[in-house]
Amino acid sequence: MDASLFTSMLFATVVAGTPLIIVALGLLVSERAGVLNLGAEGMMAMGAVAAFAATHTTGNPWLGVLAGMGAGLAVALIFGVLTLTLQANQVASGLAVAIFGVGLSAFIGKPFESVALPAVPAIRIPFIADIPLIGEALYNQQALVYFSWALFWAVLWFLARSRAGLVLRAVGESPASAHAIGYPVIAIRYLAVLFGGAMAGIGGAFLSVFYTPMWVEGMVAGRGWIALALVVFATWRPLRVMIGAYLFGGVMITQLFIQGSGLQIDFPSQFLSSLPYWATIVVLVVISRNPNTIRLNSPASLGKPYRPDA
Amino acid sequence: MLRLEARPAPSRLMQWCSPLLAAALTLLAGMAIFWALDKDPLEGLRYFLLNPVKDLYGVSELLLKATPLMLCAIGLAVGFRANVWNIGAEGQFMLGTAGASGVALYFAESDSALILPAMLFAGAAAGALWAAIPALLKTRFNANEILVSLMLVYVAQLFISWLVFGPWRDPMGFGFPQTAMFHDAALLPTLLDGTRLHLGFVFALAALAAGYVFMNRSYTGFKMRVAGEAAEAARYAGFSARRVVWIGLLTGGAAAGVAGMAEVAGPMGQLTDKVALGYGFAAIIVAFVGRLHAFGSLLASLLMALLFIGGEQAQQYMNLPSSISMVFQGLLLFFLLGSDVFIHYRLRLGRART
């Protein structure tokens, strides 16, 4: 492999992994608080379409990111009201969010289907971007790529080192004990769900404004679900989310590069395109094979409703 | 101040009123959406509720749309009752279309009466096979069936796309991604002259009846319900958890596969890359709104079919994207889940006793 190919593949892998990192870290925080939100796909779709619409209207991609975040927040709020206030089943509510978000985004996005946005220029970090091989790939990137790294450190610090993170984890492990000590379980879970929604919205915004600056119905293409699988794969740990996201980015990019290289003689492109989905399945199997891995690592109250006065 | 108070026992009345409440709220929300879009809400209602059923042809189209929903939903309900979350019916449906189309294309020269039964079998088997993957991975490796079955939807879509762009593309089709039209022996007979309503509707009714008997009248169905409502009790009673997963997923897959077969052998008459219009996902909503019950699924499929057709009408006459029907379907499920709070809680005025 020659050096420039390596650099461009690394660059593309980082870009492909970025939305997964942002979304999966948001989901990780809400799952650590005990809330399973299967609606990531819908929240990302809403984030993507809102960000695209706002960027297209105002010409400012940062307003787009804000709009995407707002859309993710709004959908997450619906999920929160259903599952936290009204005690609805989290699995069913998450599916509802996924279906509704994908549907509503298709509806809102219809007028924007044939327009493109100007590409947002990358931000080059002086000096370190000159490192051979990796400098151009890692340090001449979109701002949201740097954001995903900052988010990683923030979530890591928050969960492992901060008092608030400790409380959040306590809520996820044993809401009844956290409530008995006097912590507002429902409010903390709301915040965690909203954080997850905001990150999913930003992840969607990255797709429609930075990654492929256009809106196509169904453009999230399962990334929300893959992010959910990543959290399981990562056994609810931020560092492994990061590694997993780049592995997935690598799989997506490798199949794209093979498709684009003209190397394939007799291998249909559709089979190559399905590789990331198969990879998700394989990863789930590998990590779930030992039941103890999941049982010991998943937040103990994950997916179970809790009502303080019940 | 309003507050929620736990009921001593779940309300059976609310169990069935909640879907009605949800439908009514969806109606109100729908009118609000039309109003917000500067469309006349009453005109919107007309296209969504009245126009689709204003004559016999309209009703037949409604039943036609409801057919795949009924089939997919009853299969999903069997699994959902047992907490087996197969959400990949969309993919199993696509595999069903592929299985049935394979038979139709391979025997394109034959006009044997066995072609349709063979297509039915192939569709069901292909759907079940696709659902067997999450079942196997769940029972053998404990892999989450929600994520696996969902990933397989994307794989199925790519697989169909490969079939119709590649080996099965109609050589006379001007390069469109579709197979040749099926010959008459591979098409389901229509039930009413002048309509598109076909024998698949009878399959769907039969599936609902079979689903009712299985879930409410059979011992295996009872075991599945116990597994869903009280997993510990099921384990204590010695019911096999693995068998529950297998039955739940295979039933859902086979039913979705039959729905796929009925779609290609019915209104489509060929396989295209746009064969699945979201019936598999909509069926999740149908199953919930229908209370995971056969009769409820029948009513809920009719309601959801109405929303599908209303969306097409809104596109045609009101200049709105047809995806508005997905918005309404999602709202319906939201309102249902919200209304369900009244099954276990009731509203009380005043402060909680301490």
Side-chain angles (χ1 to χ4, degrees):
Chain A
M1 189 192 291
D2 69 70
S4 71
L5 180 64
F6 173 81
T7 306
S8 52
M9 280 191 73
L10 183 63
F11 179 89
T13 298
V14 170
V15 173
T18 296
L20 295 177
I21 295 179
I22 298 174
V23 177
L25 284 174
L27 295 172
L28 182 133
V29 168
S30 61
E31 291 191 19
R32 287 298 280 267
V35 188
L36 177 66
N37 186 350
L38 291 179
E41 183 82 3
M43 300 191 297
M44 280 184 84
M46 284 303 294
V49 78
F52 187 92
T55 310
H56 181 68
T57 318
T58 64
N60 183 342
W62 301 109
L63 287 178
V65 172
L66 268 183
M69 191 174 99
L73 272 175
V75 184
L77 184 65
I78 303 179
F79 177 82
V81 169
L82 282 176
T83 57
L84 300 174
T85 303
L86 299 177
Q87 304 289 311
N89 178 316
Q90 291 183 10
V91 172
S93 308
L95 292 177
V97 167
I99 296 173
F100 175 76
V102 171
L104 185 58
S105 69
F107 181 73
I108 297 175
K110 204 72 191 174
F112 300 103
E113 277 211 312
S114 48
V115 286
L117 292 175
V120 183
I123 296 176
R124 192 183 162 87
I125 301 181
F127 306 118
I128 47 175
D130 294 328
I131 302 171
L133 277 181
I134 60 165
E136 279 295 317
L138 298 182
Y139 303 113
N140 188 15
Q141 281 282 14
Q142 297 291 347
L144 281 182
V145 172
Y146 306 130
F147 168 77
S148 72
W149 298 340
L151 180 69
F152 163 72
W153 289 110
V155 169
L156 195 65
W157 174 83
F158 171 78
L159 287 176
R161 290 274 178 274
S162 78
R163 188 179 166 76
L166 184 68
V167 173
L168 179 115
R169 275 158 44 209
V171 165
E173 293 298 336
S174 173
S177 321
H179 175 69
I181 305 171
Y183 290 113
V185 172
I186 298 295
I188 290 167
R189 286 191 163 176
Y190 257 107
L191 289 177
V193 165
L194 290 176
F195 178 75
M199 291 308 117
I202 294 179
F206 180 78
L207 289 179
S208 66
V209 177
F210 297 88
Y211 192 24
T212 48
M214 56 176 175
W215 165 257
V216 186
E217 187 182 333
M219 71 180 296
V220 180
R223 287 187 181 84
W225 299 102
I226 292 180
L228 279 160
L230 266 179
V231 178
V232 180
F233 164 73
T235 56
W236 293 270
R237 285 176 217 172
L239 179 62
R240 293 189 185 184
V241 163
M242 190 95 162
I243 298 170
Y246 285 138
L247 279 177
F248 267 95
V251 172
M252 289 179 187
I253 291 311
T254 308
Q255 60 93 2
L256 279 181
F257 269 71
I258 295 174
Q259 280 189 42
S261 68
L263 268 179
Q264 91 276 27
I265 319 294
D266 239 355
F267 203 65
S269 65
Q270 287 93 348
F271 291 169
L272 286 170
S273 303
S274 70
L275 278 181
Y277 307 113
W278 286 117
T280 310
I281 293 173
V282 170
V283 151
L284 274 174
V285 165
V286 168
I287 207 73
S288 317
R289 205 180 38 188
N290 181 354
N292 287 332
T293 321
I294 299 293
R295 202 165 47 83
L296 295 178
N297 288 296
S298 74
S301 76
L302 184 60
K304 297 185 186 123
Y306 174 74
R307 230 179 104 85
D309 55 32
Chain B
M1 190 191 142
L2 283 173
R3 67 192 169 78
L4 291 171
E5 183 186 87
R7 292 179 191 269
S11 157
R12 284 186 69 85
L13 179 68
M14 273 318 294
Q15 180 88 10
W16 286 100
C17 285
S18 153
L20 300 178
L21 181 60
L25 288 171
T26 309
L27 194 73
L28 286 179
M31 291 176 69
I33 290 176
F34 283 127
W35 180 74
L37 292 170
D38 269 337
K39 308 278 177 188
D40 180 4
L42 290 178
E43 194 197 7
L45 276 194
R46 194 156 61 86
Y47 286 122
F48 264 85
L49 290 183
L50 298 181
N51 250 19
V53 291
K54 70 175 189 293
D55 52 20
L56 182 66
Y57 183 77
V59 173
S60 75
E61 285 289 298
L62 183 74
L63 298 180
L64 180 73
K65 269 273 187 269
T67 298
L69 294 172
M70 280 151 68
L71 279 162
C72 293
I74 192 68
L76 291 181
V78 169
F80 287 178
R81 280 246 180 144
N83 269 346
V84 177
W85 297 100
N86 170 18
I87 57 168
E90 185 85 353
Q92 293 142 21
F93 175 95
M94 289 190 241
L95 261 282
T97 65
S101 302
V103 172
L105 295 173
Y106 191 80
F107 295 104
E109 304 300 319
S110 152
D111 43 6
S112 156
L114 290 175
I115 290 201
L116 278 173
M119 287 171 73
L120 185 64
F121 177 78
L129 186 75
W130 211 234
I133 300 175
L136 179 74
L137 300 182
K138 171 81 176 183
T139 50
R140 279 294 301 269
F141 303 113
N142 195 31
N144 182 308
E145 78 277 18
I146 297 179
L147 293 169
V148 173
S149 62
L150 198 105
M151 286 294 122
L152 289 173
V153 173
Y154 294 96
V155 177
Q157 178 65 61
L158 288 161
F159 176 66
I160 297 287
S161 152
W162 171 68
L163 286 177
V164 296
F165 276 99
W168 289 4
R169 175 150 64 181
D170 181 7
M172 324 287 268
F174 306 103
F176 283 108
Q178 57 195 30
T179 65
M181 293 300 288
F182 297 172
H183 56 304
D184 286 347
L187 293 175
L188 287 167
T190 49
L191 297 177
L192 283 169
D193 282 341
T195 71
R196 300 196 296 159
L197 188 64
H198 55 80
L199 196 60
F201 179 64
V202 178
F203 297 166
L205 291 180
L208 287 177
Y212 174 78
V213 171
F214 178 74
M215 286 195 288
N216 299 64
R217 291 282 177 268
S218 79
Y219 183 48
T220 312
F222 171 73
K223 287 201 265 193
M224 305 267 304
R225 266 161 53 201
V226 174
E229 280 163 32
E232 295 294 318
R235 192 162 35 223
Y236 183 69
F239 301 162
S240 160
R242 289 185 177 192
R243 180 177 294 178
V244 166
V245 172
W246 275 104
I247 294 177
L249 275 157
L250 290 185
T251 315
V258 170
M261 177 273 177
E263 200 64 10
V264 286
M268 308 275 300
Q270 64 183 157
L271 183 64
T272 78
D273 66 338
K274 302 218 164 33
V275 70
L277 299 169
Y279 297 127
F281 291 122
I284 298 172
I285 304 179
V286 171
F288 282 123
V289 174
R291 298 265 80 117
L292 309 183
H293 188 281
F295 184 65
S297 298
L298 172 68
L299 297 180
S301 339
L302 293 175
L303 178 61
M304 288 287 285
L306 202 57
L307 291 181
F308 266 110
I309 294 178
E312 289 167 9
Q313 297 239 341
Q315 181 175 34
Q316 205 173 344
Y317 300 110
M318 299 176 77
N319 202 17
L320 289 170
S322 63
S323 38
I324 192 166
S325 56
M326 284 165 82
V327 176
F328 287 159
Q329 293 169 3
L331 281 176
L332 178 64
L333 185 50
F334 277 145
F335 287 129
L336 177 85
L337 293 167
S339 312
D340 276 355
V341 72
F342 297 115
I343 295 173
H344 295 283
Y345 299 94
R346 56 187 158 203
L347 272 181
R348 276 293 154 93
L349 276 168
R351 302 212 136 262
R353 286 187 305 267
T354 44

